[in-house]
Amino acid sequence: MSTTDAEAAMRDPKANYDRLQKDVSAVKNDIAALTEQITDALNAFAGKAGKQARQGYRQARDNMDSTFDDMSERGSAMMSAAQDAAGTIEETLEDIITQRPLATVGLALGLGFLIGVTWRR
């Protein structure tokens, strides 16, 4: 502010007050506009973040579903294989017992004796 402006301001305080009031109003308007822009930016960011979170959730759920399906299929296959193996072992044992009954009884007695001796200790 030059000396002539200062002198003019001192001579006309109402004009100075009016100018100050206009400046304050302009600053208020600028702050309001800036607040609106920030609010819009935050809303847009929140919308994008929410959308990405929903997509991530859907993708994780789909991955989990496919993993559970895969595990279920593998479990079923393993169960089938175990049942087949048990059936095969049963058939083999039946064949051995049928072919050699005396050897089977001797083996059973021997195992019983070993278990008894071990149990005593």
Side-chain angles (χ1 to χ4, degrees):
M1 218 182 213
S2 66
T3 32
T4 56
D5 289 341
E7 290 171 5
M10 293 196 64
R11 279 185 254 146
D12 192 9
K14 179 154 175 37
N16 193 23
Y17 177 76
D18 290 341
R19 190 177 61 180
L20 184 61
Q21 203 170 17
K22 285 180 186 178
D23 289 345
V24 169
S25 291
V27 169
K28 283 182 181 179
N29 290 338
D30 290 344
I31 290 173
L34 184 59
T35 302
E36 188 176 326
Q37 289 175 350
I38 289 173
T39 301
D40 291 344
L42 288 175
N43 286 338
F45 176 73
K48 282 187 178 183
K51 184 177 181 181
Q52 287 176 345
R54 283 189 297 275
Q55 286 175 345
Y57 171 75
R58 275 190 229 114
Q59 190 174 30
R61 188 181 65 208
D62 291 344
N63 288 343
M64 196 168 65
D65 288 344
S66 69
T67 301
F68 281 140
D69 290 344
D70 187 39
M71 288 175 62
S72 176
E73 289 175 12
R74 286 182 184 183
S76 294
M78 289 175 67
M79 186 62 129
S80 262
Q83 287 174 344
D84 290 346
T88 303
I89 290 172
E90 182 182 356
E91 289 172 5
T92 304
L93 285 175
E94 284 179 13
D95 289 344
I96 290 173
I97 290 171
T98 305
Q99 290 172 1
R100 298 186 178 147
L102 291 178
T104 305
V105 170
L107 180 64
L109 287 173
L111 284 174
F113 178 75
L114 285 175
I115 292 172
V117 168
T118 306
W119 191 270
R120 262 185 160 179
R121 291 183 186 186

